[in-house]
Amino acid sequence: MESGIIDLPKIEDFRGNLSFIEEGNPLPFSIKRVYWIYDIPGGALRGGHAFREQHEMIIALSGSFIVSVDNRTGKRNYFLNKPWQGLYLPPGHWREMKDFATNSLALVLSSMPYSPSDYIYNYSEYLSCGE
Ligand code: TYD
């Protein structure tokens, strides 16, 4: 499966808009863990690794940032700045998060509990895993 932006439901209301995610619709995995990244200093880089098995969805709940995604055959930059859009990342994708606007809040939904052994931190190891 490929990475890509998934539009989430957006209920527009004069009292404020509302979006939501349910398993299976439109998320293609079961949520086992949720984490979020905040208080990000200017110029910081996050990510810089791939996962062997876990699927993720990344949402810019607030602010904006770029997720650079590499699938071994090419690289693509996704600009996230809408709380009603999620970036779906299948396993086996190298990813970096950068260019965070002040006060950005990145929400990440994951298909697995935290597992250090699922991380690939070495880019050449990542490339050789796909051979
Ligand atoms: P890491 O996944 O490397 O962050 P990023 O990809 O955003 O740069 O995690 C940073 C630290 O937080 C690392 O020491 C592991 C810890 N951590 C947990 O304990 N549980 C979690 O669910 C996550 C995502 C990280």
Side-chain angles (χ1 to χ4, degrees):
M1 233 174 142
E2 272 309 301
S3 64
I5 299 283
I6 295 178
D7 283 347
L8 306 170
K10 181 180 183 192
I11 315 294
E12 298 197 26
D13 192 307
F14 68 91
R15 300 167 300 160
N17 299 331
L18 180 153
S19 291
F20 60 92
I21 293 174
E22 288 175 323
E23 273 180 27
N25 176 32
L27 200 64
F29 60 87
S30 296
I31 302 166
K32 292 281 170 12
R33 179 167 51 108
V34 178
Y35 63 93
W36 48 99
I37 305 170
Y38 53 96
D39 290 346
I40 306 156
L45 288 178
R46 305 284 324 203
H49 53 70
F51 292 115
R52 296 174 204 279
E53 295 193 4
Q54 71 184 280
H55 300 243
E56 287 194 318
M57 176 172 270
I58 305 178
I59 303 168
L61 282 188
S62 179
S64 65
F65 49 87
I66 289 173
V67 186
S68 170
V69 179
D70 182 329
N71 67 357
R72 295 191 184 93
T73 54
K75 223 182 220 183
R76 194 162 163 192
N77 279 345
Y78 294 95
F79 180 66
L80 298 186
N81 70 340
K82 297 183 178 71
W84 49 271
Q85 284 188 334
L87 172 61
Y88 169 61
L89 289 178
H93 285 60
W94 186 270
R95 62 177 185 73
E96 284 167 10
M97 299 166 72
K98 61 186 181 184
D99 293 352
F100 290 91
T102 307
N103 289 330
S104 288
L105 170 58
L107 181 74
V108 186
L109 312 175
S110 167
S111 66
M112 279 174 48
Y114 176 63
S115 163
S117 61
D118 196 46
Y119 281 72
I120 306 171
Y121 280 113
N122 182 298
Y123 188 68
S124 40
E125 184 192 341
Y126 165 68
L127 292 179
S128 62
C129 285
E131 286 168 1

